[in-house]
Amino acid sequence: MKSIEISASTPYTVHIEKGCLPHLGQNLSALLSPCTAAVISDENVFALYGETVCASLQQAGFRVLPYVLAAGEQSKSLASYGKLQEFLAQNHLRRSDVLIALGGGVIGDLTGFAAATYLRGIPYVQVPTTLLAAVDSSVGGKTAVDLPMGKNLVGAFWQPSLVWCDPDTLPSLPDSVFRDGCAEVIKYGLLRDADFFRRLGHASVAEHLENVIAQCVTMKQEIVTEDERDRGVRQLLNLGHTFGHAVEECSGYTLSHGHCVAIGMAIITRAAAALGYCAASDAKAVEQLLQTYHLPTVSPCSVSQLERAALSDKKIFEDKIHLVVPESIGHCRLVAVPATELRRWLIAGGVQ
Ligand code: GLY
């Protein structure tokens, strides 16, 4: 069992423990008086864990209202968000009630944004059921929905009251969903911890889930404590994401987020090596580790396609894009690259 305290503007605990799912209600009742708990989930996750979570909350004295959406990124839309808000209002939820995000990143981001804005803010709890959500999106209070023009374009920073992570739930979803999370785990090693990165090459993430999640969350805790609002050091968490998001968009979202982050990390590390920021052996090590976890390292999209998509990224300021560039395994830095140079980076990163 691991408990990590996040000292954000509203402090909260990330609790990681195998088999803890049925104890959610009991633990939440120590934080909130009995109230209505709306359990927001997708159809796949709810079929697996909805009953356990609802029963646990009911036994602890909560009135439970399940709300189940279709699985997939399309549920992270303004339309789904509007319907969810109407559901909350129709059921007379008040500021003293709570939303429970039971699922992966889509459910966590949507529920968090609904919580941030319903009645100008009500509490919510993250119950991540994917590795990606456990190590990244459930922690740090970034909430959002997508627009047709791009991902996460409408959102808010709104911290959860609790993150309740049962590692036993993570391997039950498809293998490709688990591998998405492995890409984010590798990201933490490349970003901040060379030993952790090397250990990932020797022992599998699946065998050491509780420890791996705790180490990633601890790294994220250090970063978000320093920069909750993403103005500085937190941008390092976008390692692999600028080109990753571009691949995701160009693939018409047929490639998953984690797989695209893997491609993005491989491109930026190859570019960093080619442009003299890190050693060629580091780029090789990143590629090898991604391949060990059966993650892709080559872009299916062309330089022109990725350039166009990357230039529509919301993180462009004054015609410069901030790339997270590896200097060695465990160390990265932000480099402000003029938009006109992006093509050079993509070509250096091996994109054709
Ligand atoms: N997922 C990146 C962040 O939380 O900043």
Side-chain angles (χ1 to χ4, degrees):
M1 188 270 273
K2 317 261 181 214
S3 264
I4 297 158
E5 302 304 321
I6 312 283
S7 19
S9 48
T10 323
Y12 56 97
T13 302
V14 180
H15 182 92
I16 306 154
E17 184 181 6
K18 283 163 91 59
C20 72
L21 200 63
H23 310 299
L24 170 64
Q26 191 192 338
N27 281 270
L28 191 58
S29 64
L31 291 180
L32 298 174
S33 313
C35 61
T36 299
V39 177
I40 321 301
S41 193
D42 73 42
E43 56 205 359
N44 296 342
V45 173
F46 196 80
L48 291 168
Y49 306 115
E51 205 178 309
T52 305
V53 166
C54 292
S56 158
L57 291 164
Q58 268 155 359
Q59 278 156 20
F62 291 91
R63 170 185 168 241
V64 177
L65 282 177
Y67 185 85
V68 181
L69 295 110
E73 190 74 27
Q74 74 279 4
S75 285
K76 220 177 106 175
S77 64
L78 274 180
S80 305
Y81 162 79
K83 283 190 190 143
L84 173 54
Q85 295 284 4
E86 285 173 15
F87 171 82
L88 301 176
Q90 277 155 2
N91 286 284
H92 311 291
L93 263 81
R94 302 189 191 155
R95 274 200 190 138
S96 50
D97 294 321
V98 64
L99 307 189
I100 312 288
L102 172 65
V106 167
I107 290 296
D109 285 7
L110 170 72
T111 305
F113 185 50
T117 47
Y118 181 70
L119 301 181
R120 300 198 180 90
I122 69 168
Y124 75 114
V125 172
Q126 292 273 15
V127 186
T129 60
T130 64
L131 180 58
L132 192 147
V135 297
D136 194 47
S137 60
S138 67
V139 180
K142 273 191 183 175
T143 75
V145 293
D146 303 334
L147 292 181
M149 299 81 206
K151 283 183 67 156
N152 299 327
L153 289 183
V154 181
F157 290 96
W158 188 245
Q159 303 300 332
S161 301
L162 175 70
V163 180
W164 196 254
C165 174
D166 180 348
D168 282 348
T169 61
L170 309 184
S172 55
L173 294 170
D175 187 47
S176 65
V177 175
F178 191 78
R179 281 189 275 119
D180 275 337
C182 291
E184 292 283 350
V185 170
I186 292 169
K187 178 190 86 176
Y188 282 103
L190 176 56
L191 195 57
R192 265 176 111 82
D193 190 335
D195 277 348
F196 178 68
F197 182 94
R198 282 188 202 102
R199 283 199 303 275
L200 293 173
H202 301 308
S204 91
V205 168
E207 283 161 28
H208 301 274
L209 260 185
E210 206 170 284
N211 275 333
V212 166
I213 297 166
Q215 286 179 73
C216 294
V217 171
T218 301
M219 287 187 248
K220 182 147 189 185
Q221 174 262 328
E222 290 160 3
I223 290 172
V224 299
T225 301
E226 197 180 324
D227 176 24
E228 182 173 336
R229 294 238 155 196
D230 209 12
R231 301 281 185 250
V233 69
R234 186 166 179 171
Q235 290 171 28
L236 289 171
L237 289 170
N238 291 328
L239 173 59
H241 282 60
T242 301
F243 296 144
H245 278 157
V247 174
E248 208 173 344
E249 193 185 318
C250 292
S251 77
Y253 298 97
T254 54
L255 284 175
S256 67
H257 178 69
H259 283 61
C260 293
V261 168
I263 295 169
M265 271 192 291
I267 295 174
I268 194 67
T269 318
R270 282 192 297 259
L275 299 175
Y277 287 86
C278 72
S281 56
D282 292 333
K284 193 84 213 143
V286 170
E287 240 171 17
Q288 269 170 356
L289 190 56
L290 292 168
Q291 283 160 1
T292 302
Y293 285 89
H294 306 287
L295 286 161
T297 57
V298 174
S299 168
C301 317
S302 69
V303 171
S304 300
Q305 285 173 315
L306 294 192
E307 185 188 28
R308 203 173 318 118
L311 288 177
S312 68
D313 194 290
K314 64 182 177 302
K315 294 185 193 78
I316 291 206
F317 298 110
E318 294 169 352
D319 269 347
K320 290 211 170 94
I321 193 152
H322 287 83
L323 296 179
V324 185
V325 179
E327 294 184 302
S328 62
I329 304 295
H331 294 277
C332 293
R333 73 162 153 121
L334 285 167
V335 177
V337 173
T340 48
E341 297 229 344
L342 210 55
R343 197 174 180 86
R344 187 165 80 94
W345 280 76
L346 286 164
I347 292 168
V351 183
Q352 311 264 304

